Every structure is written in C-alpha cells, then in structure tokens.
Amino acid sequence: MSRLVYSTDQGRLCPECGYTQCQCNDDSSTVGDGNVRIKLETKGRKGKGVTTITGIPLAEVELKKLLKELKQKTSSGGSVKGHTLELQGDHRDILIILLANQGWPSVKKAGG
C-alpha cells in the first residue's frame, strides 16, 4: 500500500492525518521553522511602526507567555495574531538580544 507523502499542489503532508496543516494534535499546534524573523511594519497602520516576530515554533499559550515577557522588557503594548507576535513601536535591536539570550539560535532582522 502506498501512501501520498508529498503533493505538488499542497506540499508536505502529515503521515498520520494526511493534511498539510497537521490536525492530529490541535491542542499543541505549533507553526514556525525555528528561524525567528523580526521586522518593522508600517503599511496599513497609519504610519505607526509595529515590530512583528515570526517563526517561533511554540504553541499559542506559550507564545502569549513569551509576548507578556517581551512587552514588560520593552515597556510597550502588543498582541498575538495567528502565530505572529506584534509589539507597538520599533524594538528590533532589543528583541534580537532578548530572544538570543533566551536560547533561540537563529534570530534575524527581516525586511529593509
């Protein structure tokens, strides 16, 4: 019996459930490749800068804990949208240091 493992239409499939986004463990769903990218976005925000952090492979509950700690250390507001952390203001340099000290091996600035 052969089972479909990769599809050019959808990409890599989960060996257990057969979906591209694994449906096996919904409670601990993690998205991210481990390459943490930090970038400043201003489009669609009326000129206000928002620092976004993507690529952290943690569950949503753990992302919220991490965001709370980062908000306290940068003295700013923020939120979790999907699997992206958003912090108000430009905190890229400080966040690179903070995340590297927490043990994330690949923390990079993304964008211009």
Side-chain angles (χ1 to χ4, degrees), residues 83-100:
H83 284 278
T84 302
L85 303 178
E86 294 184 353
L87 289 164
Q88 297 172 350
D90 184 3
H91 302 288
R92 292 175 289 179
D93 296 328
I94 261 178
L95 290 172
I96 289 173
I97 295 167
L98 290 173
L99 291 172

Side-chain angles (χ1 to χ4, degrees), residues 15-51:
E16 300 295 322
C17 62
Y19 291 102
T20 54
Q21 295 294 329
C22 182
Q23 304 293 321
C24 300
N25 299 324
D26 282 341
D27 57 332
S28 65
S29 64
T30 59
V31 173
D33 55 2
N35 294 326
V36 181
R37 292 172 193 86
I38 300 174
K39 92 176 152 176
L40 181 68
E41 293 183 359
T42 56
K43 285 191 174 183
R45 301 177 192 275
K46 299 181 182 177
K48 308 279 183 181
V50 175
T51 305

